[in-house]
Amino acid sequence: MARKIDQTDRAILRILQKQGTPSQRELAEKVGLSQNACWRRLNALREDGVIAHDTVRLNASALGLTLTVFVLMRTRHHSREWFETFRKVVGSIPNIVDFYRIAGEYDYLLKVVACDMNDFDRVYQQIISKVELDAITSYMTMETLADNRDLPV
C-alpha cells in the first residue's frame, strides 16, 4: 500500500511540474527540508509510482508541429486480437501523442501533432491501411488555450 501524500510531498510535486529538474539543494530549500530528507521523499514518490518519469516539455510549434488534430474512431470489432493490432499500429506512429479508449458514440480518441495537413494525412493513411474502422472524424485545432497543464496536487 502506498503511503499518504502529505503537504510537503505536494509542494515537491508542484515544483517539479513547474520547473522540471531543479537541483536537489534548490528543491530542498524551496520546501524547507534538508537535502537528505528531500532525496528520501523523492525516492519514495518514485517508488510509489507518483513520479512516473522525469521529462521535459517541448514546444511543438518550435519543432514545426503546428497542427494538432483530435481524432475520434469507432470500430465494429471489439476482440482482444483486433485491439492489440490497433494498439500496435497507433503506438508505432510518433505523431500520435495521446491515445484513449473512451465511452460514448466513439470508441477511441487520439491526439495527433503534425507539421501540416499533408503530414496529418500521412498519419491517417497509416492507420486506415492497417486497421479496419467503422467511422472516423477529425477535429483540427485553431488555437491552443491550455495544453499539458499541471496536475492539481
Side-chain angles (χ1 to χ4, degrees), residues 5-50:
I5 305 295
D6 65 15
Q7 288 305 316
T8 303
D9 290 333
R10 290 179 193 287
I12 290 169
L13 295 170
R14 281 191 296 273
I15 292 165
L16 291 175
Q17 285 190 112
K18 293 266 186 255
Q19 196 173 341
T21 56
S23 71
Q24 202 167 338
R25 184 176 75 196
E26 182 181 0
L27 182 60
E29 287 173 2
K30 285 184 177 186
V31 298
L33 293 174
S34 70
Q35 285 188 50
N36 285 341
C38 188
W39 180 83
R40 284 191 298 274
R41 282 181 179 262
L42 277 172
N43 281 341
L45 290 166
R46 285 186 176 100
E47 287 173 13
D48 290 346
V50 177

Side-chain angles (χ1 to χ4, degrees), residues 69-124:
V69 183
F70 290 94
V71 181
L72 290 165
M73 299 179 163
R74 183 173 49 233
T75 181
R76 286 185 222 112
H77 306 280
H78 297 281
S79 71
R80 173 61 54 196
E81 180 182 351
W82 180 92
F83 176 72
E84 289 304 324
T85 299
F86 182 54
R87 183 183 358 215
K88 186 175 182 179
V89 168
V90 168
S92 73
I93 303 171
N95 296 73
I96 300 173
V97 295
D98 290 315
F99 173 34
Y100 301 94
R101 187 168 61 92
I102 59 174
E105 186 177 340
Y106 287 88
D107 300 307
Y108 300 97
L109 170 67
L110 287 73
K111 180 180 177 184
V112 179
V113 294
C115 297
D116 54 29
M117 190 59 81
N118 288 332
D119 194 27
F120 170 69
D121 187 53
R122 180 188 54 76
V123 171
Y124 175 84

